[in-house]
Amino acid sequence: MPPRPAHSKFLLIISLLVLILAAILSRTTTFFPRLALLASHLTTTSHPASSLTTKSPIMSAPSYEKELKVAQLAVQRAAILTKRVFHEKAKGTVSKDDKSPVTIGDFGAQALIISALKANFPTDEIVAEEESATLRTDASLRDQIWELVKSTKLDDPAAEELLGGSIKDADAMLDIIDLGNSKGGAKGRIWAIDPIDGTKGFLRGGQYAVCLGFMVDGDVKVGVLGCPNLPVNDSAPLDAGIGENQSDDEGRGVIFSGVLGHGATSRPLGTGALAEGKAISMKPIKDMTQASFCESVESGHSNQGESAQIAQKLGITRPSVRMDSQAKYGSIARGAGDIYLRLPTSKTYQEKIWDHAAGDLIVREAGGQVTDTTGKRLDFSVGRTLAENKGVVAAPAEVHDQVIKVVQEVIGQK
Ligand SMILES: *[C@@H]1O[C@H](CO)[C@@H](O)[C@H](O)[C@H]1NC(C)=O
Ligand SMILES: *[C@@H]1O[C@H](CO)[C@@H](O)[C@H](O)[C@H]1NC(C)=O
């Protein structure tokens, strides 16, 4: 064999160098985004308020634009259905003590939300509160719900088309309701739905919320709350009567949303295309004695005696604002209230993930901190319940430690 000419050796070396360089480059580009994600995760978990200000392109978390839009429109459409039921109830077509309006609204809203999610994200899993078993043995109830579901539409054709997933008939609706049977967990894309959170508030004419949270690998990425009976005005003060005799008249109805690493917003709850959103943030507490706190109306949901003691120890003088549902999370996120306490009433009760996923993210993205009563972050990765947590304490990040300390003193658990 003749010896290789010198220039061919040179070419060989150059191409080897190019290959090595390419290998190094491809490693770094796959490595950097992970590093960026980790860094942004660390900053958003330890300093939630800073996530709004420390944003450079490489540091920013995924924006989940499509998930957010579908979630907001799905919540808005489901809220149209719950409002129709709410008005039927107000007219006295069904008795106030009768649970059926809740049942009808719950199943109907769940069917509408799941159909929109499955049309857009067919392989995602869904954790939802209701299952259709009772409807399968009650044809009249089923037909009532079906009439509502098939006639509830957004009045914007493009929005309706985006949601898609029109349901064929009443039986298909039952099957769709049962798609909310995921066990949840720490892997994959999972949605958590509470079609009517605050059923007692819904019946009482107080606050209720249509709730949707989106998780990836057990971490909440997108949260949306539709609150038909809260004031649209983010600055409207919370008064003690907010928990009953409310309406969804002019000036009421709000959607709160949050995306991890991208802040929280509120916008009017409409009937078609989404209204313009506004950034919201928690109100800094300058003087604890002037703070207000929110808790459940139902004493079975939170220990009201202990929360009164906690308020007293913190020097809070204003009476607590009681309202049902995740409307509490939305209210403190926009600074209408300051602190949300949910103190365990039983040793065995486990909070459900659909009752907290959206609210937890929205408050954290608005500059708050949300933990359980021991100061541990809520863990959405262990199934359908928050099995690793007890109660909830949500407060502006700068006073959260102080609140937890007093909570610990009063309820004495570690
Ligand atoms: C919102 O509420 C605040 C406080 O009550 C009030 O000053 C303001 O005028 C309201 N804004 C609108 C647009 O109604
Ligand atoms: C709500 O309405 C009921 C029945 O009309 C009434 O008894 C109750 O006092 C009202 N509550 C408030 C806070 O106005």
Side-chain angles (χ1 to χ4, degrees), residues 22 39 84 134 175 192 218 240 248 274 287 299 399:
R84 288 173 70 188
T134 53
D175 294 341
D248 55 9
L274 291 173
D287 175 3
S299 55
V399 299

Side-chain angles (χ1 to χ4, degrees), residues 3 27-28 31 55 63 67 131 144 161 207 215 230 234 254 308 314 316-317 359 368 396:
R27 283 196 68 96
T28 39
F31 188 63
K55 232 179 282 164
S63 55
E67 286 81 356
E131 55 175 70
Q144 246 179 303
E161 194 187 322
Q207 297 304 324
M215 299 171 296
L230 276 184
D234 290 326
V254 55
L314 285 167
I316 294 174
T317 50

